[in-house]
Amino acid sequence: FVALSVLLAGIWLCGGFYFGTVALGAREIFYFGVLWAFAFLVVGFAEEFLFRGYALATLSDGIGFWPAAIVLSALFGAVHLKNLGENPTGALAAGLVGLLFCFTLRRTGSLWFAIGLHAAWDYGESFFYSVPDSGTLAQGHLLNSHFRAGAPVWPTGGSVWPEGSLLVFVVLAILFFV
């Protein structure tokens, strides 16, 4: 969530993003907040178990951890190309996020950090900051945020929005370091 906040603050500093106003009433905030939290926890579990769980352990036995991590991260990025509004920059970012999750698994020995980071990122995009996640805007989002019309694609990410921003690579580099 902090990483996404840093990314959106960077896009805001470039004049490409406005946080907007609250879009929901108190009852709707609770309802959609809980709904999206559950949904993205499920997504975090599903995608991390699929790409960094059994598949990574099994493939690592055959070709080694890092080659397996690269193959599965490339596949993770490629799968994101099927999302509406996704582009090659967003898919590359998703692949690098997959590699980051493999790195955290290697460092911690557990998928929990990757599951939490994945769920928090998607929740932050879709519900809290109300920006498209891989080009798709969720219903029942907290804010009336928007990207500035006519802003350059490099900071905003174009149709993919924050995941397609070139600034996401700076944030990913920081995450790898941290």
Side-chain angles (χ1 to χ4, degrees):
F1 188 83
V2 171
L4 176 63
S5 299
V6 167
L7 174 59
L8 290 172
I11 297 170
W12 174 77
L13 286 171
C14 291
F17 180 69
Y18 299 99
F19 290 91
T21 59
V22 175
L24 302 173
R27 194 171 292 177
E28 293 169 308
I29 289 171
F30 178 78
Y31 173 77
F32 284 110
V34 170
L35 178 73
W36 285 121
F38 177 75
F40 287 118
L41 192 57
V42 169
V43 169
F45 272 104
E47 290 188 356
E48 294 315 307
F49 281 131
L50 180 63
F51 289 97
R52 261 87 45 200
Y54 180 77
L56 181 57
T58 303
L59 194 55
S60 292
D61 286 343
I63 64 174
F65 181 83
W66 288 112
I70 290 168
V71 166
L72 290 172
S73 296
L75 181 60
F76 184 68
V79 165
H80 279 77
L81 283 171
K82 294 184 180 213
N83 294 340
L84 295 175
E86 190 66 84
N87 68 18
T89 303
L92 176 61
L96 289 174
V97 166
L99 198 58
L100 172 70
F101 292 158
C102 291
F103 179 69
T104 65
L105 172 61
R106 184 71 163 189
R107 295 277 298 173
T108 66
S110 171
L111 277 175
W112 285 112
F113 184 82
I115 291 167
L117 184 60
H118 194 151
W121 181 278
D122 287 351
Y123 180 82
E125 278 186 315
S126 297
F127 174 71
F128 192 86
Y129 288 118
S130 313
V131 297
D133 181 356
S134 297
T136 303
L137 185 62
Q139 296 294 322
H141 46 84
L142 179 64
L143 300 175
N144 286 317
S145 61
H146 61 279
F147 289 90
R148 186 179 62 118
V153 171
W154 73 267
T156 64
S159 66
V160 184
W161 303 110
E163 294 174 356
S165 168
L166 294 183
L167 297 175
V168 76
F169 298 108
V170 174
V171 171
L172 286 173
I174 293 167
L175 284 172
F176 269 101
F177 179 75
V178 171

